[in-house]
Amino acid sequence: MSKPQRVAIYTRISKDRKGQELGILRQEAACRELCARLGWTVHKVYPENDMSASTTSKRKRPAYTEMLRDARDGLVDAIVVYSIDRLTRRLTELTSFLEEQREHSFAFATTEGEDTATANGRMILTIKGAVAQQETERMSERINGSLLQRRERGRPHAGGPRVFGFDRDSGFQRIVPEEVELIRRGYDMLMSSPGRTPGDVARLWNEAGARSPGGTAWSIQKVKRVYRSERIGGIITHKGQDIGDSIYPHPLTRNEWTNVQVVLDSRATPSAQGSGKRKHLYSGFLKCGYCGSTMRVQWATIQGRTFRRTLCHSGQVGHDGELGCGKVSRSYAWIEEQLNAAVEAALQEHRPQPQQPPTEDLTGPIAVLEDRIRALRQRWKGGDMEDEDYFDSLGHLRSDLQSLRSRESAGVVRQTRRVTDALTVWDDDSAENLERRRAIVALVLEKVDVFSVGRGRRKPPEPESIRITPVAAPRGGTHQCDSPSDTPPPSSDRPTGSLLPKQHTKAVVP
């Protein structure tokens, strides 16, 4: 079998608290040394630092997925890892990997010398994979047992983000008196008669100069998140089960926390089915031109007329951590029409190019190997070769032939995969196609700043009332203005490589 010329090195370490990547660098050095001894050529390294591969981890491994995809497409013909537990600690994932190797015929090696070319080698590899999985599961059992014992003694879990009312890095053992006072005042407001709302509590905390743990202004949802946290009631849980009360101080008592839940539940309304999905094409892309907060898109009925509008909500937190200014409220239909024209014009200029013919023709080398196998078979049948020499030579030739055929198949697959015409997808404006159309918008537009046009207007808005920032625009590459009346930049200032065509940005983008 020919030596692999496009070797992938996969490195992984579960925890790297300092972020220095020393572990994966050591693994890479050992793998490169192995490739040098074997005469293999390293093509690409797929590192994953601070990434667990155990059965308890729910995080996806993008580098691992990319490496397997490249192996399927024939972009790499061998994979090298430091040890099998660096590749995976899941037996099912290891079995799937071995099936992928058998199907796509790429080589595999570790610095510990595992061999997947024989049945015994695969068996030993599977046993090592089972041992690696057992090790992680036993470690998880010990950790869970220790955590449960800690909870039963009234000691809360010290990890997780900071909760308002508790001192940072104290492991929820110390409270901040000023924040506790605000939580107590908010509790009294929610329990008063007539009852106040979480919005009133948010205004109280903002007026007092308090900021959320993230350093931003308080909103209704952030206030609810504080009072929904079981930590402020001193309640300790383990895997969703109530274990007991914390031995450390906390802002509210258990009974007070329960009372708040009743109030919040009484104000909550069940969400309609599918309410969490996007319903409007450009929701999330529209930004207030004055404060930078993300604008909402919703249906409104005013004076008997129902229409869609986009608005800057005064309870929405902007990019600077402050609440929205509430200065902009616009009809959504005109904005959608302008942006549809911009996206469609961009797609017209970037139609997919026709597929190029394959650059690698393996027909000749494959025919040569097939002729050699036929000649070898004739010599063996004629008694000119010993059985041992025949089967040894036949194995090498078949291995080389299989490698060439895999490369040829990968090339055919790449050529036959059609690039979907984005304009065809864009023209389908059905509700089922909304997410695909939003994905196309994300390739063209970074954001759209929307400015107010004033009240009582009867004529259509000026094009300068919105400002489009293409995806390819560098920071500071678009014109920044304090009001829509500022002078628009010339069309020559359009960033190079922008997906938006010149004739459209000149008409719409100020």
Side-chain angles (χ1 to χ4, degrees):
M1 182 177 179
S2 60
K3 294 181 180 180
Q5 298 300 315
R6 301 183 304 277
V7 179
I9 293 179
Y10 178 74
T11 59
R12 184 190 64 82
I13 190 169
S14 299
K15 291 187 180 297
D16 183 14
R17 292 183 174 87
K18 295 183 178 181
Q20 298 178 351
E21 301 185 356
L22 299 179
I24 60 175
L25 292 178
R26 288 192 295 268
Q27 295 178 29
E28 180 183 344
C31 292
R32 287 186 178 274
E33 182 179 349
L34 174 63
C35 292
R37 291 200 308 267
L38 297 176
W40 294 3
T41 303
V42 177
H43 171 68
K44 186 177 180 180
V45 179
Y46 298 83
E48 286 192 304
N49 193 49
D50 201 19
M51 180 71 69
S52 175
S54 67
T55 55
T56 59
S57 176
K58 297 181 180 180
R59 296 173 60 188
K60 295 182 179 180
R61 295 190 286 163
Y64 178 81
T65 304
E66 179 187 0
M67 178 184 66
L68 285 185
R69 183 173 60 249
D70 291 347
R72 296 189 197 102
D73 293 343
L75 301 180
V76 297
D77 50 14
I79 294 177
V80 176
V81 297
Y82 182 79
S83 62
I84 190 59
D85 60 352
R86 297 302 90 199
L87 182 70
T88 181
R89 285 183 178 270
R90 303 179 185 180
L91 189 57
T92 55
E93 197 169 51
L94 175 60
T95 304
S96 175
F97 176 83
L98 295 177
E99 290 296 330
E100 294 274 6
Q101 184 200 8
R102 179 181 303 177
E103 179 179 355
H104 300 284
S105 303
F106 57 84
F108 176 71
T110 72
T111 60
E112 296 181 349
E114 282 90 352
D115 179 24
T116 59
T118 63
N120 287 337
R122 289 190 294 271
M123 179 191 69
I124 294 175
L125 197 66
T126 304
I127 293 175
K128 287 188 174 182
V131 172
Q133 177 172 319
Q134 183 214 26
E135 180 183 349
T136 60
E137 290 177 351
R138 290 185 60 187
M139 184 183 302
S140 177
E141 291 175 355
R142 292 195 299 268
I143 292 175
N144 285 329
S146 174
L147 292 177
L148 177 59
Q149 187 179 36
R150 176 184 176 89
R151 305 291 192 281
E152 291 174 342
R153 293 178 178 176
R155 300 177 182 271
H157 177 52
R162 186 179 90 90
V163 176
F164 187 68
F166 290 93
D167 191 8
R168 189 183 302 275
D169 300 327
S170 69
F172 298 96
Q173 298 181 14
R174 298 190 302 272
I175 58 176
V176 180
E178 297 80 6
E179 296 180 356
V180 171
E181 176 64 24
L182 291 176
I183 293 176
R184 299 290 313 178
R185 291 176 61 186
Y187 170 79
D188 294 337
M189 291 178 63
L190 293 175
M191 300 303 296
S192 63
S193 181
R196 308 295 288 275
T197 66
D200 298 324
V201 178
R203 282 187 286 272
L204 169 67
W205 292 359
N206 285 324
E207 292 172 358
R211 286 294 179 264
S212 68
T216 59
W218 286 101
S219 63
I220 295 176
Q221 294 302 324
K222 292 179 181 179
V223 169
K224 288 183 177 180
R225 197 174 299 124
V226 170
Y227 285 105
R228 289 291 190 185
S229 174
E230 294 165 332
R231 292 184 183 274
I232 70 165
I235 302 173
I236 297 179
T237 60
H238 181 72
K239 292 187 175 181
Q241 300 295 324
D242 190 342
I243 301 300
D245 296 329
S246 173
I247 61 176
Y248 302 110
H250 36 84
L252 302 179
T253 65
R254 174 186 285 265
N255 290 336
E256 290 173 337
W257 182 85
T258 304
N259 295 338
V260 172
Q261 307 314 302
V262 174
V263 173
L264 296 180
D265 292 339
S266 65
R267 297 190 55 84
T269 56
S271 300
Q273 185 177 3
S275 61
K277 300 179 180 179
R278 296 282 190 180
K279 300 181 179 64
H280 309 282
L281 183 58
Y282 295 103
S283 58
F285 294 97
L286 305 180
K287 307 291 182 180
C288 176
Y290 303 100
C291 66
S293 62
T294 302
M295 301 182 65
R296 298 185 181 182
V297 181
Q298 62 185 26
W299 287 95
T301 301
I302 299 177
Q303 297 180 351
R305 185 170 62 94
T306 301
F307 62 98
R308 287 182 299 172
R309 67 169 179 170
T310 178
L311 69 154
C312 174
H313 198 279
S314 58
Q316 184 83 18
V317 178
H319 70 285
D320 56 355
E322 300 297 329
L323 296 177
C325 62
K327 294 180 179 179
V328 182
S329 179
R330 298 276 302 274
S331 173
Y332 178 75
W334 181 85
I335 297 176
E336 184 180 47
E337 178 182 348
Q338 302 300 312
L339 298 183
N340 283 347
V343 174
E344 184 173 347
L347 296 179
Q348 289 284 2
E349 288 192 354
H350 294 80
R351 300 298 293 268
Q353 299 297 322
Q355 293 287 342
Q356 299 296 326
T359 58
E360 186 178 28
D361 185 8
L362 301 177
T363 306
I366 290 177
V368 170
L369 286 178
E370 290 175 342
D371 291 341
R372 291 181 61 185
I373 291 175
R374 282 193 292 268
L376 186 68
R377 185 177 294 111
Q378 292 298 328
R379 291 180 57 193
W380 175 65
K381 289 182 178 180
D384 297 333
M385 290 188 67
E386 297 292 336
D387 291 351
E388 182 178 355
D389 295 336
Y390 167 70
F391 287 109
D392 183 62
S393 300
L394 184 64
H396 286 289
L397 290 176
R398 282 180 172 173
S399 178
D400 292 344
L401 180 61
Q402 179 63 30
S403 177
L404 290 178
R405 284 176 174 170
S406 298
R407 288 166 56 186
E408 184 183 45
S409 300
V412 171
V413 170
R414 287 194 297 270
Q415 293 301 321
T416 55
R417 285 178 177 171
R418 296 182 58 191
V419 179
T420 303
D421 187 358
L423 190 59
T424 303
V425 178
W426 176 258
D427 290 338
D428 181 7
D429 57 356
S430 62
E432 296 77 10
N433 197 47
L434 178 63
E435 289 303 321
R436 298 184 69 187
R437 299 186 77 202
R438 284 180 56 82
I440 294 176
V441 173
L443 295 175
V444 179
L445 306 180
E446 179 180 339
K447 66 174 182 175
V448 179
D449 293 314
V450 182
F451 298 91
S452 176
V453 294
R455 296 183 178 181
R457 297 176 60 90
R458 296 300 179 186
K459 60 181 180 179
E462 293 84 357
E464 291 80 8
S465 64
I466 63 174
R467 181 176 61 203
I468 300 176
T469 302
V471 167
R475 295 295 180 185
T478 55
H479 179 61
Q480 301 294 330
C481 60
D482 295 328
S483 68
S485 60
D486 288 352
T487 304
S491 59
S492 59
D493 290 345
R494 188 174 61 95
T496 304
S498 168
L499 290 176
L500 293 180
K502 289 182 178 180
Q503 64 269 24
H504 192 83
T505 52
K506 184 176 181 180
V508 176
V509 185

